[in-house]
Amino acid sequence: MIPIYWATTQLYYLYSLALFYIKILKNPKKILIIIQRSNGDVLLSQALITALYEYYQSPKIDLLVNDDTLPVARLLSNINFIHTFSYEKKSKNRWKQEKDMIASVFRKYDLSINLTASDRSVLYALFASKNSISAIEKDNSKSWWKKLLLTHHYLFDTTKHILLNNLEPLNFLKIKHTNILGKPKVSEVTIARIKNKLDKKGIKDFVIFHPSAQYNYKIYPQHLRHQLLVHLSGLDISVVITGSNNQIDTAIKNQLPILSNVFDLIGETTLEEYFALSELSLAYIGMDTLNMHIAAAQNKRIFAIFGPTNLTMWSPWSNELKKSVTKDAPIQTYGNITLFQANMSCVACGNAGCDNQHGKSECLEHISSEVVSKEVKNWYQNVGL
């Protein structure tokens, strides 16, 4: 005999599935997308958002993101409203924030899509809509209850690029997509303001050099950075150094050498202004970080220096080839992108530094500044400016 619990569970799943497709055919008018991860995850959700917006004929799409990614979320296109989760509020009064968040989303959406496999994010998706799609963990001990309660689920696959993970919900919705990384919006006013700033400094054609990242273990060592800038200054093109005004970027700013053709703009642009600056640039040279993904979305020529980061999931996406890379190599070029890694057996380990505690990454010490500059020089000599 078939166990009653098993049979009941299967019937409930089939019933929920039937209701899901009936309602989806009516076109959801309000959609919530939950992304409680990093800036890069938020940026790389634009393709999903655009596909939903176009297919369902301009529904209201809201986001739920962590407050430290809010500046990026605000620059995504076709967003109606943004809910924010704060880890600071969580530490002060966790339950009040949870209560307020649930109240703000409870049954207010025709469809909820969660791109984050965490328990909290899944619960938000379940509370927000009767029709929910979510990423889940491969570990069944963590995800069994999610499989039972969600209308649809998919495995968050660390062997697949984050863009492809983010587009997975579209397959359940039978929405065709092109695997193109969505382009961030930049206002004409902001572009004009950046052009004016560049004109005042006498900068015309230029490349961006972005030496920083969110964490120190991803940053090219100072002596190699200095050597690379010396090489780049020898090219007949302006090199604009970018960064924010946080502690890591400010420390780098204070270490920069004074060189011809090199312009320090660290701390001098907002995030939206950086988007505009990147849009106006010819190429991106720098670290594995959000700015690299911005350049990829804008189809810029990219020269990215990678430390321990997993390429399969986080290498810059090439819209030209509609792919990223999955294998490690000291130098590799695909489409408009060139990546540099150390020629070491441990690369790429995927750890947060060699100690996995955000400490130093030895592999970054083994990426030659001359090799990087040579690739940039070869490209520049063939640009035909």
Side-chain angles (χ1 to χ4, degrees):
M1 292 181 63
I2 298 174
I4 294 175
Y5 172 77
W6 185 89
T8 303
T9 300
Q10 295 304 306
L11 285 172
Y12 174 78
Y13 175 76
L14 292 172
Y15 173 71
S16 299
L17 188 62
L19 286 179
F20 175 76
Y21 281 113
I22 288 171
K23 291 185 178 182
I24 289 302
L25 289 175
K26 294 180 180 178
N27 286 9
K29 300 300 180 185
K30 293 195 69 177
I31 301 172
L32 177 66
I33 299 177
I34 302 163
I35 321 165
Q36 291 197 274
R37 286 172 64 88
S38 67
N39 282 319
D41 297 82
V42 174
L43 178 70
L44 271 66
S45 69
Q46 182 64 77
L48 169 67
I49 294 165
T50 300
L52 292 169
Y53 190 82
E54 292 177 352
Y55 185 83
Y56 290 126
Q57 301 177 0
S58 308
K60 289 185 177 179
I61 300 178
D62 292 355
L63 295 180
L64 194 165
V65 301
N66 295 335
D67 58 357
D68 61 340
T69 65
L70 182 58
V72 176
R74 283 176 172 160
L75 295 176
L76 299 181
S77 301
N78 305 319
I79 297 302
N80 174 62
F81 182 79
I82 304 174
H83 304 273
T84 56
F85 176 89
S86 168
Y87 280 98
E88 183 179 350
K89 288 182 180 179
K90 176 189 173 184
S91 64
K92 292 180 179 178
N93 193 333
R94 174 180 180 178
W95 298 113
K96 183 180 185 306
Q97 178 173 220
E98 299 294 5
K99 179 182 175 182
D100 291 344
M101 184 64 74
I102 292 169
S104 68
V105 303
F106 188 75
R107 292 297 182 262
K108 292 182 180 178
Y109 297 92
D110 303 312
L111 172 65
S112 61
I113 297 175
N114 174 36
L115 304 181
T116 316
S118 70
D119 292 356
R120 177 188 293 110
S121 298
V122 171
L123 288 171
Y124 287 158
L126 291 168
F127 283 124
S129 177
K130 293 180 181 179
N131 301 315
S132 53
I133 303 174
S134 178
I136 62 170
E137 307 93 334
K138 290 184 179 180
D139 185 349
N140 195 58
S141 66
K142 296 180 179 179
S143 62
W144 66 268
W145 62 273
K146 300 171 185 177
K147 295 177 182 178
L148 290 175
L149 297 177
L150 290 162
T151 311
H152 261 302
H153 62 270
Y154 63 95
L155 297 179
F156 188 79
D157 189 352
T158 56
T159 67
K160 188 164 64 175
H161 196 273
I162 187 64
L163 174 67
L164 300 180
N165 271 289
N166 287 351
L167 290 173
E168 193 64 31
L170 296 178
N171 296 327
F172 293 114
L173 300 170
K174 309 300 182 185
I175 298 175
K176 293 182 180 179
H177 53 85
T178 59
N179 289 356
I180 295 292
L181 183 60
K183 189 175 181 179
K185 65 183 180 183
V186 183
S187 72
E188 292 299 324
V189 172
T190 304
I191 290 177
R193 186 163 61 247
I194 290 299
K195 282 183 176 179
N196 184 55
K197 183 188 288 283
L198 294 173
D199 286 343
K200 288 182 178 179
K201 293 179 179 292
I203 301 172
K204 294 182 179 179
D205 296 319
F206 68 96
V207 298
I208 282 175
F209 176 60
H210 190 78
S212 64
Q214 186 175 3
Y215 304 109
N216 277 310
Y217 73 85
K218 289 187 172 188
I219 296 176
Y220 207 36
Q222 180 185 352
H223 68 285
L224 293 175
R225 180 172 68 236
H226 188 131
Q227 290 173 13
L228 178 56
L229 281 171
V230 169
H231 292 309
L232 294 177
S233 71
L235 299 176
D236 186 25
I237 190 172
S238 298
V239 178
V240 173
I241 305 178
T242 57
S244 68
N245 56 6
N246 64 28
Q247 186 175 357
I248 291 176
D249 294 47
T250 300
I252 291 174
K253 184 181 183 72
N254 293 333
Q255 298 166 352
L256 292 175
I258 298 175
L259 299 165
S260 61
N261 295 328
V262 175
F263 300 84
D264 173 17
L265 264 63
I266 292 178
E268 295 186 22
T269 60
T270 65
L271 184 59
E272 184 177 7
E273 288 173 336
Y274 178 83
F275 275 50
L277 189 67
S278 181
E279 181 68 44
L280 295 169
S281 71
L282 292 175
Y284 172 90
I285 306 162
M287 309 316 299
D288 148 40
T289 190
L290 170 68
N291 305 62
M292 175 192 72
H293 294 297
I294 292 171
Q298 296 169 332
N299 303 316
K300 298 299 174 181
R301 187 65 172 88
I302 293 172
F303 300 89
I305 301 169
F306 269 71
T309 302
N310 179 347
L311 288 187
T312 301
M313 195 169 190
W314 287 109
S315 57
W317 185 263
S318 171
N319 281 335
E320 179 185 336
L321 301 180
K322 296 183 181 179
K323 72 170 197 175
S324 59
V325 291
T326 58
K327 295 182 178 180
D328 299 308
I331 306 176
Q332 55 185 314
T333 297
Y334 55 106
N336 56 309
I337 298 162
T338 300
L339 301 186
F340 305 92
Q341 294 175 285
N343 188 14
M344 299 172 68
S345 60
C346 58
V347 172
C349 64
N351 291 335
C354 295
D355 60 1
N356 205 21
Q357 298 290 326
H358 291 244
K360 186 177 181 180
S361 295
E362 291 288 344
C363 54
L364 285 169
E365 298 274 358
H366 293 266
I367 300 175
S368 167
S369 62
E370 291 184 2
V371 169
V372 177
S373 62
K374 181 180 178 181
E375 290 295 317
V376 176
K377 182 178 180 180
N378 289 342
W379 159 77
Y380 179 64
Q381 288 176 340
N382 290 294
V383 171
L385 292 177

